[in-house]
Coordinates of all heavy atoms in Angstrom, one line a residue:
M28 N -86.1 6.2 -111.8 CA -87.4 5.6 -111.4 C -87.6 4.2 -112.0 O -88.2 3.3 -111.4 CB -88.5 6.6 -111.7 CG -89.8 6.1 -111.2 SD -89.9 5.9 -109.4 CE -91.4 6.6 -109.0
T29 N -87.2 4.1 -113.3 CA -87.4 2.8 -114.0 C -86.7 1.7 -113.3 O -87.2 0.6 -113.3 CB -87.0 2.9 -115.4 OG1 -87.7 4.0 -116.1 CG2 -87.2 1.7 -116.2
E30 N -85.6 2.0 -112.7 CA -84.8 0.9 -112.0 C -85.7 0.3 -110.8 O -85.6 -0.9 -110.6 CB -83.5 1.5 -111.5 CG -82.5 1.9 -112.5 CD -82.9 3.3 -113.0 OE1 -83.5 4.1 -112.3 OE2 -82.5 3.6 -114.2
V31 N -86.4 1.2 -110.1 CA -87.2 0.7 -109.1 C -88.4 -0.1 -109.6 O -88.7 -1.2 -109.1 CB -87.8 1.9 -108.2 CG1 -88.8 1.4 -107.2 CG2 -86.6 2.6 -107.5
L32 N -89.0 0.4 -110.6 CA -90.2 -0.3 -111.2 C -89.9 -1.6 -111.9 O -90.8 -2.4 -112.1 CB -90.9 0.6 -112.2 CG -91.5 2.0 -111.6 CD1 -92.0 2.8 -112.7 CD2 -92.6 1.7 -110.6
T33 N -88.7 -1.9 -112.2 CA -88.3 -3.1 -112.8 C -87.3 -3.9 -111.9 O -86.8 -4.9 -112.4 CB -87.6 -2.9 -114.2 OG1 -86.4 -2.1 -114.0 CG2 -88.5 -2.2 -115.2
S34 N -87.2 -3.6 -110.7 CA -86.3 -4.3 -109.8 C -86.8 -5.6 -109.5 O -88.0 -5.9 -109.5 CB -86.0 -3.5 -108.5 OG -87.2 -3.5 -107.7
S35 N -85.9 -6.5 -109.1 CA -86.3 -7.9 -108.7 C -87.2 -7.9 -107.5 O -88.1 -8.8 -107.4 CB -85.0 -8.8 -108.5 OG -84.3 -8.3 -107.4
G36 N -87.0 -7.0 -106.6 CA -87.8 -7.0 -105.4 C -89.3 -6.6 -105.7 O -90.2 -7.2 -105.2
V37 N -89.4 -5.6 -106.6 CA -90.8 -5.2 -107.0 C -91.4 -6.4 -107.8 O -92.6 -6.7 -107.6 CB -90.7 -3.9 -107.8 CG1 -92.1 -3.6 -108.5 CG2 -90.3 -2.8 -106.9
L38 N -90.7 -7.0 -108.7 CA -91.2 -8.1 -109.5 C -91.6 -9.2 -108.6 O -92.7 -9.8 -108.8 CB -90.2 -8.5 -110.5 CG -90.6 -9.5 -111.6 CD1 -91.7 -8.9 -112.5 CD2 -89.5 -10.0 -112.4
K39 N -90.8 -9.5 -107.6 CA -91.1 -10.6 -106.7 C -92.4 -10.4 -105.9 O -93.3 -11.2 -105.8 CB -90.0 -10.9 -105.8 CG -90.2 -12.0 -104.8 CD -89.0 -12.2 -103.9 CE -89.3 -13.3 -102.8 NZ -88.2 -13.4 -101.9
E40 N -92.6 -9.1 -105.4 CA -93.8 -8.8 -104.7 C -95.0 -8.8 -105.5 O -96.0 -9.4 -105.1 CB -93.6 -7.4 -104.1 CG -94.8 -6.9 -103.3 CD -95.1 -7.7 -102.1 OE1 -94.2 -8.3 -101.5 OE2 -96.3 -7.8 -101.7
I41 N -94.9 -8.3 -106.7 CA -96.1 -8.4 -107.6 C -96.4 -9.8 -108.0 O -97.6 -10.2 -108.1 CB -95.8 -7.5 -108.9 CG1 -95.8 -6.0 -108.5 CG2 -96.8 -7.8 -110.0 CD1 -95.4 -5.1 -109.6
D42 N -95.4 -10.6 -108.2 CA -95.6 -12.0 -108.5 C -96.3 -12.7 -107.4 O -97.3 -13.5 -107.6 CB -94.3 -12.7 -108.8 CG -94.5 -14.2 -109.3 OD1 -95.2 -14.4 -110.3 OD2 -93.9 -15.1 -108.7
Q43 N -95.9 -12.5 -106.1 CA -96.6 -13.1 -105.0 C -98.0 -12.6 -104.9 O -98.9 -13.4 -104.5 CB -95.8 -12.7 -103.7 CG -94.5 -13.4 -103.5 CD -93.7 -12.9 -102.3 OE1 -94.0 -11.8 -101.7 NE2 -92.6 -13.6 -102.0
Q44 N -98.3 -11.4 -105.1 CA -99.7 -10.9 -105.0 C -100.5 -11.5 -106.1 O -101.7 -11.9 -105.8 CB -99.7 -9.3 -105.2 CG -99.1 -8.6 -104.0 CD -99.2 -7.1 -104.1 OE1 -99.9 -6.6 -105.0 NE2 -98.5 -6.4 -103.2
A45 N -100.0 -11.7 -107.3 CA -100.8 -12.3 -108.4 C -101.1 -13.7 -108.1 O -102.2 -14.2 -108.3 CB -100.0 -12.2 -109.7
K46 N -100.1 -14.4 -107.5 CA -100.3 -15.8 -107.1 C -101.3 -16.0 -106.0 O -102.1 -16.9 -105.9 CB -98.9 -16.5 -106.8 CG -98.1 -16.8 -108.0 CD -96.8 -17.4 -107.7 CE -96.0 -17.9 -108.9 NZ -96.0 -17.2 -110.1
R47 N -101.3 -15.0 -105.1 CA -102.2 -15.0 -104.0 C -103.7 -14.8 -104.5 O -104.6 -15.5 -104.0 CB -101.8 -13.9 -103.0 CG -102.6 -13.9 -101.7 CD -102.0 -13.0 -100.6 NE -101.3 -11.8 -101.1 CZ -100.0 -11.6 -100.9 NH1 -99.2 -12.5 -100.3 NH2 -99.4 -10.5 -101.4
V48 N -103.8 -13.9 -105.4 CA -105.2 -13.7 -106.0 C -105.6 -15.0 -106.7 O -106.8 -15.4 -106.6 CB -105.2 -12.5 -106.9 CG1 -106.5 -12.4 -107.7 CG2 -105.0 -11.2 -106.1
A49 N -104.7 -15.6 -107.5 CA -105.0 -16.8 -108.2 C -105.4 -17.9 -107.2 O -106.4 -18.7 -107.5 CB -103.8 -17.3 -109.1
S50 N -104.7 -18.0 -106.2 CA -105.0 -19.1 -105.1 C -106.4 -18.8 -104.5 O -107.1 -19.8 -104.3 CB -103.9 -19.0 -104.1 OG -104.2 -19.9 -103.1
T51 N -106.7 -17.6 -104.2 CA -108.0 -17.3 -103.7 C -109.1 -17.6 -104.7 O -110.1 -18.2 -104.3 CB -108.1 -15.8 -103.3 OG1 -107.1 -15.5 -102.3 CG2 -109.5 -15.4 -102.8
A52 N -108.9 -17.2 -106.0 CA -109.9 -17.5 -107.0 C -110.0 -19.0 -107.2 O -111.1 -19.5 -107.4 CB -109.5 -16.9 -108.3
N53 N -108.9 -19.8 -107.1 CA -109.0 -21.2 -107.3 C -109.8 -21.9 -106.1 O -110.3 -23.0 -106.3 CB -107.6 -21.9 -107.4 CG -107.0 -21.7 -108.7 OD1 -107.7 -21.8 -109.7 ND2 -105.7 -21.4 -108.8
G54 N -109.9 -21.2 -105.0 CA -110.7 -21.8 -103.9 C -112.2 -21.4 -103.9 O -112.9 -21.8 -103.1
M55 N -112.6 -20.8 -105.0 CA -114.0 -20.3 -105.1 C -114.7 -21.0 -106.3 O -114.0 -21.3 -107.3 CB -114.0 -18.8 -105.3 CG -113.3 -18.0 -104.2 SD -113.1 -16.3 -104.7 CE -114.7 -15.6 -104.8
H56 N -115.9 -21.4 -106.1 CA -116.8 -21.8 -107.2 C -116.3 -23.0 -108.0 O -116.7 -23.2 -109.2 CB -117.1 -20.6 -108.2 CG -117.6 -19.4 -107.5 ND1 -118.8 -19.4 -106.8 CD2 -117.0 -18.2 -107.4 CE1 -118.9 -18.2 -106.4 NE2 -117.9 -17.4 -106.7
N57 N -115.5 -23.9 -107.5 CA -115.1 -25.1 -108.1 C -114.4 -25.0 -109.4 O -114.5 -25.9 -110.3 CB -116.3 -26.1 -108.2 CG -115.9 -27.5 -108.4 OD1 -114.9 -27.9 -108.0 ND2 -116.8 -28.3 -109.1
A58 N -113.8 -23.9 -109.7 CA -113.0 -23.7 -110.9 C -111.5 -23.5 -110.5 O -111.2 -22.7 -109.7 CB -113.5 -22.5 -111.7
K59 N -110.7 -24.4 -111.0 CA -109.3 -24.5 -110.5 C -108.3 -24.0 -111.6 O -107.1 -24.3 -111.4 CB -109.0 -25.9 -110.1 CG -109.9 -26.5 -109.1 CD -109.9 -25.7 -107.8 CE -110.9 -26.4 -106.8 NZ -111.5 -25.5 -105.9
G60 N -108.7 -23.3 -112.6 CA -107.8 -23.0 -113.7 C -107.3 -21.5 -113.7 O -107.1 -20.9 -114.7
Y61 N -107.0 -21.0 -112.5 CA -106.5 -19.6 -112.4 C -105.0 -19.7 -112.1 O -104.6 -20.5 -111.3 CB -107.1 -18.8 -111.3 CG -108.6 -18.5 -111.6 CD1 -109.6 -19.3 -111.0 CD2 -109.0 -17.5 -112.4 CE1 -110.9 -19.1 -111.2 CE2 -110.4 -17.3 -112.6 CZ -111.3 -18.1 -112.0 OH -112.7 -17.9 -112.2
V62 N -104.2 -18.9 -112.9 CA -102.7 -18.8 -112.6 C -102.3 -17.3 -112.6 O -102.9 -16.5 -113.3 CB -101.9 -19.6 -113.7 CG1 -102.1 -21.1 -113.6 CG2 -102.2 -19.0 -115.1
G63 N -101.4 -17.0 -111.7 CA -100.9 -15.7 -111.5 C -99.4 -15.6 -112.0 O -98.7 -16.6 -111.8
D64 N -99.0 -14.5 -112.5 CA -97.6 -14.3 -113.0 C -97.3 -12.8 -113.0 O -98.2 -12.0 -112.9 CB -97.5 -14.9 -114.4 CG -96.1 -15.1 -114.8 OD1 -95.2 -15.0 -114.0 OD2 -95.9 -15.3 -116.0
A65 N -96.0 -12.5 -113.0 CA -95.5 -11.1 -113.1 C -94.5 -11.1 -114.3 O -93.8 -12.0 -114.5 CB -94.9 -10.7 -111.8
I66 N -94.5 -10.0 -115.0 CA -93.6 -9.7 -116.1 C -93.1 -8.3 -116.1 O -93.7 -7.4 -115.4 CB -94.3 -10.0 -117.5 CG1 -95.5 -9.1 -117.7 CG2 -94.7 -11.5 -117.6 CD1 -96.0 -9.0 -119.1
I67 N -92.0 -8.1 -116.8 CA -91.6 -6.7 -117.0 C -92.1 -6.3 -118.4 O -91.7 -6.9 -119.4 CB -90.0 -6.6 -117.0 CG1 -89.5 -7.1 -115.6 CG2 -89.6 -5.2 -117.3 CD1 -89.8 -6.1 -114.5
G68 N -92.9 -5.3 -118.4 CA -93.5 -4.8 -119.7 C -92.4 -4.2 -120.6 O -91.4 -3.6 -120.1
S69 N -92.6 -4.1 -121.9 CA -91.7 -3.4 -122.8 C -92.3 -2.1 -123.1 O -93.4 -1.8 -122.7 CB -91.5 -4.3 -124.0 OG -92.8 -4.5 -124.7
G70 N -91.6 -1.3 -123.9 CA -92.1 0.0 -124.3 C -91.2 1.1 -123.8 O -90.1 0.8 -123.2
S71 N -91.7 2.3 -123.9 CA -90.8 3.4 -123.5 C -90.7 3.6 -122.0 O -89.8 4.2 -121.5 CB -91.4 4.7 -124.1 OG -92.7 4.9 -123.6
K72 N -91.7 3.0 -121.3 CA -91.6 3.1 -119.8 C -91.8 1.7 -119.2 O -92.9 1.3 -118.7 CB -92.7 4.0 -119.3 CG -92.5 5.5 -119.7 CD -93.6 6.3 -119.1 CE -93.4 7.8 -119.5 NZ -94.5 8.6 -119.0
P73 N -90.8 0.9 -119.2 CA -90.9 -0.5 -118.7 C -91.2 -0.5 -117.2 O -90.7 0.3 -116.5 CB -89.6 -1.2 -119.1 CG -88.6 -0.1 -119.2 CD -89.4 1.1 -119.7
R74 N -92.1 -1.4 -116.8 CA -92.4 -1.6 -115.4 C -92.9 -3.0 -115.2 O -93.3 -3.6 -116.1 CB -93.3 -0.5 -114.9 CG -94.7 -0.6 -115.6 CD -95.5 0.7 -115.4 NE -94.8 1.8 -116.0 CZ -95.0 3.0 -115.8 NH1 -95.8 3.4 -114.8 NH2 -94.4 4.0 -116.4
A75 N -92.9 -3.4 -113.9 CA -93.5 -4.7 -113.6 C -95.0 -4.7 -113.6 O -95.6 -3.8 -113.2 CB -93.0 -5.2 -112.2
H76 N -95.6 -5.8 -114.2 CA -97.0 -6.0 -114.2 C -97.4 -7.4 -113.7 O -96.7 -8.3 -114.0 CB -97.5 -5.9 -115.7 CG -97.3 -4.6 -116.3 ND1 -98.2 -3.5 -116.1 CD2 -96.4 -4.1 -117.1 CE1 -97.8 -2.5 -116.8 NE2 -96.6 -2.8 -117.5
G77 N -98.4 -7.4 -113.0 CA -98.9 -8.7 -112.5 C -100.2 -9.0 -113.3 O -101.0 -8.1 -113.7
M78 N -100.5 -10.3 -113.5 CA -101.7 -10.7 -114.1 C -102.2 -12.1 -113.6 O -101.4 -12.9 -113.1 CB -101.6 -10.8 -115.6 CG -100.8 -11.9 -116.1 SD -100.9 -12.0 -117.9 CE -99.7 -13.2 -118.3
V79 N -103.5 -12.3 -113.5 CA -104.1 -13.6 -113.2 C -105.0 -13.9 -114.4 O -105.7 -13.0 -114.8 CB -104.9 -13.5 -111.9 CG1 -105.5 -14.9 -111.6 CG2 -104.0 -13.1 -110.7
K80 N -104.8 -15.1 -114.9 CA -105.6 -15.5 -116.1 C -106.2 -16.9 -115.9 O -105.8 -17.6 -115.0 CB -104.8 -15.4 -117.3 CG -103.6 -16.4 -117.3 CD -102.8 -16.3 -118.6 CE -101.7 -17.3 -118.6 NZ -100.9 -17.2 -119.9
T81 N -107.2 -17.2 -116.8 CA -107.8 -18.5 -116.8 C -107.0 -19.4 -117.7 O -106.5 -18.9 -118.7 CB -109.3 -18.4 -117.2 OG1 -109.3 -17.8 -118.5 CG2 -110.1 -17.5 -116.2
T82 N -107.0 -20.7 -117.5 CA -106.3 -21.6 -118.3 C -107.2 -22.6 -119.0 O -106.7 -23.4 -119.8 CB -105.2 -22.4 -117.5 OG1 -105.9 -23.1 -116.4 CG2 -104.2 -21.4 -116.9
D83 N -108.5 -22.6 -118.7 CA -109.3 -23.5 -119.4 C -110.7 -22.9 -119.6 O -111.1 -21.9 -119.0 CB -109.4 -24.9 -118.6 CG -109.9 -24.7 -117.2 OD1 -111.0 -24.1 -117.0 OD2 -109.2 -25.1 -116.3
L84 N -111.5 -23.5 -120.4 CA -112.8 -23.0 -120.8 C -113.8 -23.0 -119.6 O -114.5 -22.0 -119.4 CB -113.4 -23.8 -121.9 CG -114.7 -23.3 -122.5 CD1 -114.6 -21.9 -123.0 CD2 -115.2 -24.2 -123.6
H85 N -113.8 -24.0 -118.7 CA -114.6 -24.1 -117.5 C -114.4 -22.9 -116.6 O -115.3 -22.2 -116.2 CB -114.4 -25.4 -116.8 CG -115.2 -25.4 -115.5 ND1 -116.5 -25.5 -115.4 CD2 -114.7 -25.3 -114.2 CE1 -116.9 -25.5 -114.1 NE2 -115.8 -25.4 -113.4
T86 N -113.1 -22.6 -116.4 CA -112.7 -21.5 -115.5 C -113.1 -20.1 -116.1 O -113.6 -19.2 -115.5 CB -111.2 -21.6 -115.2 OG1 -111.0 -22.8 -114.6 CG2 -110.8 -20.5 -114.2
K87 N -112.9 -20.0 -117.4 CA -113.2 -18.8 -118.1 C -114.7 -18.5 -118.0 O -115.1 -17.4 -117.7 CB -112.8 -18.9 -119.6 CG -112.9 -17.7 -120.4 CD -112.4 -17.9 -121.8 CE -111.9 -16.7 -122.4 NZ -111.3 -16.9 -123.7
R88 N -115.6 -19.5 -118.2 CA -117.0 -19.4 -118.2 C -117.4 -19.1 -116.7 O -118.3 -18.3 -116.5 CB -117.7 -20.6 -118.7 CG -117.6 -20.7 -120.2 CD -118.4 -22.0 -120.7 NE -118.3 -22.0 -122.1 CZ -118.6 -23.1 -122.8 NH1 -118.9 -24.2 -122.2 NH2 -118.6 -23.0 -124.1
S89 N -116.8 -19.8 -115.8 CA -117.1 -19.5 -114.4 C -116.8 -18.1 -114.0 O -117.6 -17.4 -113.3 CB -116.3 -20.5 -113.5 OG -116.6 -20.3 -112.1
N90 N -115.7 -17.6 -114.4 CA -115.3 -16.2 -114.1 C -116.3 -15.2 -114.7 O -116.7 -14.2 -114.1 CB -113.9 -15.9 -114.5 CG -113.5 -14.5 -114.2 OD1 -113.5 -14.2 -113.0 ND2 -113.1 -13.7 -115.1
A91 N -116.7 -15.5 -116.0 CA -117.6 -14.6 -116.7 C -119.0 -14.6 -116.0 O -119.6 -13.5 -115.9 CB -117.8 -15.1 -118.1
K92 N -119.4 -15.7 -115.4 CA -120.7 -15.8 -114.8 C -120.7 -15.2 -113.3 O -121.6 -14.6 -112.9 CB -121.1 -17.3 -114.7 CG -122.5 -17.5 -114.1 CD -122.9 -18.9 -114.2 CE -124.3 -19.2 -113.6 NZ -124.6 -20.6 -113.6
R93 N -119.6 -15.5 -112.6 CA -119.5 -15.1 -111.2 C -118.6 -14.0 -110.8 O -118.4 -13.7 -109.6 CB -119.1 -16.4 -110.4 CG -120.2 -17.5 -110.6 CD -119.7 -18.7 -109.8 NE -120.7 -19.8 -110.0 CZ -120.7 -20.7 -110.9 NH1 -119.7 -20.7 -111.8 NH2 -121.6 -21.6 -111.0
N94 N -117.8 -13.5 -111.7 CA -116.8 -12.4 -111.4 C -115.8 -12.9 -110.4 O -115.5 -12.1 -109.5 CB -117.5 -11.1 -111.0 CG -118.2 -10.5 -112.1 OD1 -117.7 -10.3 -113.2 ND2 -119.4 -10.0 -111.9
T95 N -115.3 -14.1 -110.5 CA -114.5 -14.7 -109.5 C -113.2 -13.9 -109.3 O -112.8 -13.6 -108.2 CB -114.1 -16.1 -109.9 OG1 -115.3 -16.8 -110.1 CG2 -113.4 -16.8 -108.8
L96 N -112.6 -13.4 -110.4 CA -111.3 -12.7 -110.2 C -111.5 -11.3 -109.5 O -110.7 -10.9 -108.7 CB -110.6 -12.4 -111.6 CG -110.0 -13.7 -112.2 CD1 -109.4 -13.4 -113.6 CD2 -108.8 -14.2 -111.2
L97 N -112.6 -10.7 -109.8 CA -112.9 -9.4 -109.1 C -113.2 -9.7 -107.6 O -112.6 -8.9 -106.8 CB -114.2 -8.8 -109.7 CG -114.6 -7.5 -109.1 CD1 -113.6 -6.4 -109.3 CD2 -115.9 -7.0 -109.8
K98 N -113.9 -10.7 -107.3 CA -114.1 -11.1 -105.9 C -112.8 -11.4 -105.2 O -112.6 -11.1 -104.0 CB -115.1 -12.2 -105.8 CG -116.5 -11.7 -106.2 CD -117.5 -12.9 -106.2 CE -118.9 -12.4 -106.7 NZ -119.8 -13.5 -106.9
A99 N -111.9 -12.2 -105.9 CA -110.7 -12.6 -105.3 C -109.8 -11.3 -105.1 O -109.1 -11.3 -104.1 CB -109.9 -13.6 -106.3
L100 N -109.8 -10.4 -105.9 CA -109.1 -9.1 -105.7 C -109.6 -8.4 -104.5 O -108.9 -7.7 -103.8 CB -109.2 -8.2 -106.9 CG -108.3 -8.4 -108.1 CD1 -108.7 -7.6 -109.3 CD2 -106.9 -8.1 -107.7
Q101 N -110.9 -8.5 -104.2 CA -111.5 -7.9 -103.0 C -111.4 -8.7 -101.8 O -112.0 -8.4 -100.8 CB -113.0 -7.5 -103.3 CG -113.1 -6.6 -104.5 CD -114.6 -6.4 -104.9 OE1 -115.4 -7.3 -104.7 NE2 -114.8 -5.4 -105.7
G102 N -110.6 -9.8 -101.8 CA -110.4 -10.6 -100.6 C -111.2 -11.9 -100.5 O -111.3 -12.5 -99.5
G103 N -111.8 -12.3 -101.6 CA -112.5 -13.5 -101.6 C -114.0 -13.5 -101.2 O -114.6 -14.5 -100.9
G104 N -114.6 -12.3 -101.2 CA -116.0 -12.1 -100.7 C -116.9 -12.6 -101.7 O -117.8 -13.2 -101.8

């Protein structure tokens, strides 16, 4: 099972989804500092993880005030 969870295909799909969420968030509320990425986690059960994070203070504050990442996950509503 670990082979599937860490395969290049799964990692690529998760990376695309993270970048799609970041792109949606960057199009909202005039904050452009969101980036998406995917990694293979370490530990006893390695698996692919996706994340979207803020890269600057303006974007961090905007997300805290408006829940931009949550809205982007829900399709940009």
Side-chain angles (χ1 to χ4, degrees):
M28 185 62 140
T29 301
E30 297 81 22
V31 173
L32 297 174
T33 59
S34 71
S35 62
V37 169
L38 188 63
K39 181 180 175 184
E40 179 61 30
I41 290 174
D42 186 58
Q43 288 174 348
Q44 289 181 15
K46 285 180 173 40
R47 191 171 25 249
V48 170
S50 177
T51 300
N53 280 322
M55 301 167 67
H56 306 299
N57 199 28
K59 307 297 181 210
Y61 296 99
V62 293
D64 197 11
I66 60 167
I67 301 290
S69 59
S71 62
K72 296 182 179 179
R74 61 194 70 202
H76 296 276
M78 72 173 170
V79 179
K80 63 181 182 178
T81 60
T82 59
D83 58 55
L84 186 58
H85 172 72
T86 304
K87 189 176 205 175
R88 287 180 177 165
S89 177
N90 183 59
K92 183 177 181 179
R93 298 179 179 91
N94 290 316
T95 307
L96 286 175
L97 180 61
K98 292 174 184 175
L100 278 170
Q101 297 170 342

